[in-house]
Amino acid sequence: MRRVMAAAMVGMLGWMNPMMAAAQQAHGSPQQTGDSTFTLKVNTNIVLTNVVVRDKKTGEVVKGLKASDFTIYEDKKEQKIATFDYENVDDAAVLNEKKTAGGKVSIADMLEHNFAASPEDLKDHRLMVLFFDLSSMQDEDIDRAVDAATNYVNKQMQPADLVAMVSMSTGLSLDQDFTSDKAALLKVLAKYNGDDETGFANGGTGTTDGTSDDTTAFAADDTEFNSLNTDRELFAIRAIAKSLERVDQHKSMLYFSGGLTRNGIENQASLRAATNEASKANMAIYTVDSRGLQALPPVGDASKGSLRGNSAYSGGAATAQLASNYQSQETLGTLAADTGGKFFSDSNDFGPAFQQVQKDTEAYYILGFHSTNKREDGSYRHLTVKIDRPDVKLEYRPGYYAPADFMHQKTEDRELALTEQMRSDLPATDVAVYLQALYFRANTGQNLFYIPVSLLVPGSQIPFVKNGDRDKGSIDIMGRVTKSVGNGAHGEGDMVTVGNVRDTVKLALDQSQQVKRKNIQYSTGFTLAPGRYHLKFVVRENQTGNMGSFETDIEVPDWKKVPLKLSSVVIASQRTPNEAKNPQSPLVRDGVEWVPNVAHVFRQDQHLYFLYEVYDPTKAKGAPEPAAAPGMLRREGGPVHVLTSIEFLNGGTKVYETPEVTAETINDPQRDAVAFQFDVPLTTLKPGTYICQVNVIDDAGGSFTFPRMAVRVMPPVAAVPAPAAATTGGMR
């Protein structure tokens, strides 16, 4: 169940933070603060491009040029060169491997700015990443790629080469940091073999025509799986590029793959994100089709049965094979072309790929400029580099994609941005978000709990657009519940997702509601077993794309040895009609939904509603069995005797207490619970901060509990005298 409403909490935003902290402390779920380390996120808009200048006749690299010798254009408009550098592998100094890769700090640590030596030590070195996509390659493809890499390390690798090994099977793994140690690289290569092939190759599309006749009439449609698999591989490339974007030197990735197939526009956002990140990281991708030279017989090879249908005789089967092979190579070619690399296919000799990387990075100039086109429209911008010498030829990437602001992002890009923020360790703070998680037991006999979650966003954070007499806006909400499972290398388990929420909420409110002075509250819930969980929500308003996040640890109790089992105490200032039948949420009962007051801030002219449940109360001995109410089950074993009241403390002094209520029957047999509801008019309390104590005593069992929480009472918006009403309390 998910509901959104404007909570009437006018003029109370200034008190939200202290009350929120107090409320969370009372419920035992403080926001995770981590250590005292602060992270500063800085975005720069400098465009870097590498230029190789060669003599037209000899092909030799032309050295000794200056920034004034170059002119760079973006979409035919001249740009001012802001940075200029020259890299030459012949000038590379030998790195102290004992101090870097062989010691406490690796060269990869240097790339993360944990420098073991001066960062200038990386100058004039060739940085290469060998990426083996084991998930897309067959056994023989892996062996072919490994043999080529082994030959490179043994015979072609130069002193200036720093090589890293990355592989992906069920997950992305950094197998070797950047190093020039050949023995270490060969040791890693020896681990790659056909056993790592994980079978993530593309499946069928649901049609039986042209498929092998294996006595089954069913052909699975794996189109969606194919799209997800392609996204997975592109995200891996993006992650590698992002980890290297802070290094000025040119990087080269050799990507060994058994093919990468796009499905229409399904993978367009992932492909664009991968190429953009590679461009920002100044990394060229050299893609290698590890399938090598392939024979595509019209009726299939000897490992397949005869084909269904007539496609083997009409040429359809051969056409389909060629089209499928082309599609799997087209994406690899796009990755290479858009990043300044090259694509190698239809050859069993992968040695030229390594030679091409070495040739392209033996000596090059790095030009940087700040684009005069400040629009963040995500468009492709063509680059042209010129030099006033007719005897040379230039090699450089043809262009790049400009960053896109929220208004210019496509739907896929917007969804990707939301997912990235969910995965990020850095919180989003552009939109204020407050969260409260409660717990109630699910049905009797199940060791499960329903966790109502209330998300609060101040209305002032949402830029509404006026449309007639109504204000309109929308927010995207993404939530995730994770749990640590198993033990890792440092005693930490793997985080497994156990619950997800993804919703888009459209808001259309009357201007008279003054939404900017109120709050937007979103309600959802999860069913969880006892244990410790991590809860994170990301909210984005869809006018400017600003996002906010909130995350906290929650503890779902294990009541096996607890004498008195009490749910969370819900305090609310609103109850809204909800006629849902058999609602999952315990906050919906008797046709009314309780809206938790997340901030615990109230006005004097409001009512304070309480809701809580006591589970499995002790049976009272010797007492007569009370009559069950019409339509309500009688609890087997006898009556109960539970007493409760609520008192308000100010400065350690009790200033108000509700009349005591006694429960003698189970009134919620589905959860074997006694449910209590109270209605406290706040006209009896003066403005100020109070400690609210809920007294619960199981008289038959001799157990008790007294949970506390902070509440803030504010003066009414309009001083309208209201008659004092008697406090009401009782069971549902």
Side-chain angles (χ1 to χ4, degrees):
M1 179 203 62
R2 300 165 187 165
R3 289 177 63 85
V4 181
M5 58 207 69
M9 300 170 63
V10 182
M12 302 176 186
L13 299 183
W15 288 96
M16 191 169 295
N17 285 336
M19 290 299 101
M20 186 64 200
Q24 286 181 333
Q25 187 174 4
H27 287 283
S29 58
Q31 183 178 4
Q32 186 180 10
T33 58
D35 53 26
S36 59
T37 303
F38 294 93
T39 302
L40 179 63
K41 186 176 181 180
V42 179
N43 293 324
T44 59
N45 60 353
I46 191 169
V47 181
L48 298 177
T49 186
N50 306 309
V51 182
V52 179
V53 184
R54 299 185 184 277
D55 187 279
K56 284 186 176 180
K57 294 182 178 180
T58 64
E60 296 294 328
V61 175
V62 177
K63 304 178 182 180
L65 299 177
K66 302 177 182 179
S68 57
D69 296 325
F70 293 89
T71 305
I72 188 166
Y73 298 86
E74 180 186 275
D75 290 338
K76 300 182 180 180
K77 294 183 180 180
E78 185 176 349
Q79 307 293 319
K80 181 181 178 181
I81 297 176
T83 62
F84 179 82
D85 195 13
Y86 175 67
E87 300 281 335
N88 186 359
V89 297
D90 294 336
D91 299 333
V94 178
L95 287 180
N96 185 356
E97 290 287 336
K98 293 183 179 180
K99 189 176 181 181
T100 54
K104 294 183 179 180
V105 183
S106 67
I107 297 178
D109 292 324
M110 294 173 60
L111 302 183
E112 293 296 326
H113 286 194
N114 299 319
F115 297 111
S118 171
E120 284 75 20
D121 286 349
L122 292 176
K123 182 176 175 58
D124 298 321
H125 282 82
R126 182 185 288 118
L127 301 180
M128 298 175 59
V129 179
L130 304 187
F131 181 21
F132 295 87
D133 185 1
L134 305 177
S135 66
S136 67
M137 295 191 286
Q138 301 299 320
D139 298 354
E140 60 273 15
D141 301 341
I142 298 174
D143 294 338
R144 194 179 297 114
V146 169
D147 289 344
T150 302
N151 183 71
Y152 158 73
V153 173
N154 286 326
K155 300 179 181 180
Q156 297 175 256
M157 188 171 174
Q158 299 178 2
D161 293 355
L162 298 177
V163 182
M165 298 281 189
V166 182
S167 64
M168 185 175 70
S169 54
T170 56
L172 187 63
S173 172
L174 173 62
D175 301 317
Q176 174 59 52
D177 292 340
F178 284 95
T179 183
S180 59
D181 187 347
K182 294 185 177 182
L185 295 172
L186 292 173
K187 184 178 180 180
V188 173
L189 286 171
K191 296 179 181 179
Y192 299 149
N193 53 58
D195 295 337
D196 294 313
E197 188 265 318
T198 51
F200 283 105
N202 283 344
T205 58
T207 178
T208 59
D209 191 32
T211 60
S212 299
D213 189 357
D214 54 2
T215 72
T216 62
F218 174 74
D221 186 355
D222 295 323
T223 303
E224 186 174 355
F225 166 81
N226 298 341
S227 298
L228 293 175
N229 187 39
T230 300
D231 277 344
R232 176 176 177 267
E233 293 162 328
L234 292 171
F235 285 154
I237 294 174
R238 185 169 181 261
I240 296 172
K242 191 172 184 63
S243 68
L244 299 174
E245 65 181 3
R246 289 180 289 176
V247 184
D248 292 337
Q249 279 74 20
H250 178 66
K251 282 80 62 180
S252 303
M253 173 192 286
L254 267 169
Y255 176 46
F256 294 94
S257 171
L260 196 60
T261 302
R262 274 190 297 169
N263 293 307
I265 63 172
E266 296 295 328
N267 307 112
Q268 187 62 33
S270 303
L271 178 62
R272 186 164 55 249
T275 55
N276 284 351
E277 199 61 54
S279 297
K280 288 193 293 184
N282 196 16
M283 183 178 78
I285 302 176
Y286 295 77
T287 52
V288 180
D289 185 352
S290 60
R291 294 170 295 184
L293 184 61
Q294 302 178 77
L296 302 175
V299 294
D301 55 33
S303 64
K304 300 180 180 179
S306 57
L307 302 183
R308 294 184 175 100
N310 61 2
S311 60
Y313 311 102
S314 65
T319 302
Q321 286 192 72
L322 292 173
S324 176
N325 186 66
Y326 171 77
Q327 290 175 1
S328 67
Q329 293 182 341
E330 185 269 338
T331 307
L332 295 176
T334 301
L335 275 173
D338 287 351
T339 59
K342 290 180 174 59
F343 173 46
F344 297 87
S345 65
D346 299 329
S347 174
N348 294 331
D349 182 10
F350 302 155
F354 294 93
Q355 296 171 6
Q356 188 67 51
V357 172
Q358 290 180 320
K359 178 183 178 182
D360 291 347
T361 55
E362 60 180 331
Y364 56 92
Y365 299 89
I366 303 178
L367 308 182
F369 66 93
H370 298 282
S371 176
T372 57
N373 186 352
K374 303 302 182 182
R375 291 179 300 175
E376 297 183 350
D377 54 7
S379 62
Y380 187 79
R381 300 180 180 178
H382 295 84
L383 295 179
T384 304
V385 181
K386 295 183 179 180
I387 188 171
D388 191 18
R389 286 183 55 174
D391 59 330
V392 299
K393 60 179 180 180
L394 306 181
E395 300 172 3
Y396 54 90
R397 62 187 172 103
Y400 71 99
Y401 285 99
D405 58 18
F406 184 74
M407 297 304 296
H408 289 91
Q409 286 181 348
K410 297 182 179 179
T411 302
E412 299 87 350
D413 296 325
R414 293 186 178 188
E415 193 68 21
L416 181 61
L418 201 63
T419 304
E420 285 182 346
Q421 184 56 53
M422 174 60 70
R423 295 173 178 171
S424 174
D425 294 330
L426 189 67
T429 57
D430 292 330
V431 175
V433 181
Y434 307 93
L435 180 147
Q436 184 185 58
L438 308 172
Y439 58 83
F440 286 81
R441 190 170 73 175
N443 296 342
T444 304
Q446 299 178 349
N447 193 23
L448 296 173
F449 289 79
Y450 184 80
I451 313 299
V453 176
S454 298
L455 205 65
L456 197 69
V457 179
S460 59
Q461 303 280 298
I462 302 175
F464 284 84
V465 177
K466 294 187 180 298
N467 187 353
D469 60 347
R470 299 178 71 82
D471 290 332
K472 292 189 176 182
S474 68
I475 56 175
D476 283 326
I477 297 174
M478 179 177 287
R480 182 177 64 185
V481 182
T482 56
K483 180 179 177 61
S484 178
V485 177
N487 293 320
H490 303 286
E492 301 175 353
D494 297 327
M495 299 304 293
V496 177
T497 300
V498 296
N500 284 295
V501 171
R502 175 66 180 92
D503 208 352
T504 297
V505 179
K506 296 182 179 180
L507 306 169
L509 306 172
D510 293 334
Q511 295 180 9
S512 60
Q513 291 181 275
Q514 296 180 331
V515 68
K516 290 187 177 181
R517 300 180 63 192
K518 301 179 182 180
N519 299 314
I520 305 301
Q521 186 160 330
Y522 175 85
S523 299
T524 185
F526 305 92
T527 301
L528 303 174
R532 187 173 182 83
Y533 299 87
H534 187 75
L535 181 63
K536 181 174 182 179
F537 270 81
V538 177
V539 176
R540 178 178 63 199
E541 55 86 5
N542 288 327
Q543 189 65 26
T544 64
N546 289 337
M547 288 190 280
S549 64
F550 192 103
E551 54 185 312
T552 183
D553 290 330
I554 59 174
E555 188 78 32
V556 180
D558 189 349
W559 283 340
K560 291 181 180 179
K561 298 182 180 180
V562 177
L564 196 153
K565 305 176 180 65
L566 178 69
S567 71
S568 295
V569 178
V570 180
I571 61 174
S573 57
Q574 283 185 318
R575 293 184 298 186
T576 61
N578 189 330
E579 301 296 337
K581 297 181 179 180
N582 301 319
Q584 183 183 13
S585 173
L587 301 184
V588 180
R589 55 186 72 205
D590 300 331
V592 174
E593 179 178 0
W594 296 62
V595 183
N597 189 309
V598 178
H600 289 196
V601 181
F602 303 86
R603 293 194 314 265
Q604 278 185 300
D605 56 353
Q606 291 181 317
H607 286 237
L608 200 164
Y609 304 111
F610 288 86
L611 171 65
Y612 49 94
E613 296 179 341
V614 178
Y615 305 103
D616 302 332
T618 305
K619 295 176 291 185
K621 298 180 180 179
E625 182 76 19
M632 183 171 291
L633 298 176
R634 180 190 300 274
R635 185 191 180 190
E636 184 179 353
V640 298
H641 195 243
V642 181
L643 305 100
T644 186
S645 66
I646 301 172
E647 58 186 60
F648 293 82
L649 308 175
N650 187 301
T653 303
K654 181 169 66 175
V655 297
Y656 180 79
E657 183 175 7
T658 65
E660 184 181 273
V661 175
T662 302
E664 296 183 346
T665 59
I666 298 293
N667 59 7
D668 193 340
Q670 189 177 20
R671 287 192 288 272
D672 197 12
V674 178
F676 292 98
Q677 299 181 25
F678 281 84
D679 180 353
V680 180
L682 294 177
T683 53
T684 58
L685 298 177
K686 296 180 180 180
T689 302
Y690 296 87
I691 297 298
C692 179
Q693 177 173 299
V694 179
N695 305 315
V696 181
I697 302 174
D698 185 354
D699 192 42
S703 57
F704 52 84
T705 184
F706 308 104
R708 288 185 170 190
M709 65 206 72
V711 296
R712 177 75 178 178
V713 179
M714 303 287 289
V717 176
V720 179
T727 302
T728 61
M731 299 180 292
R732 181 178 71 92

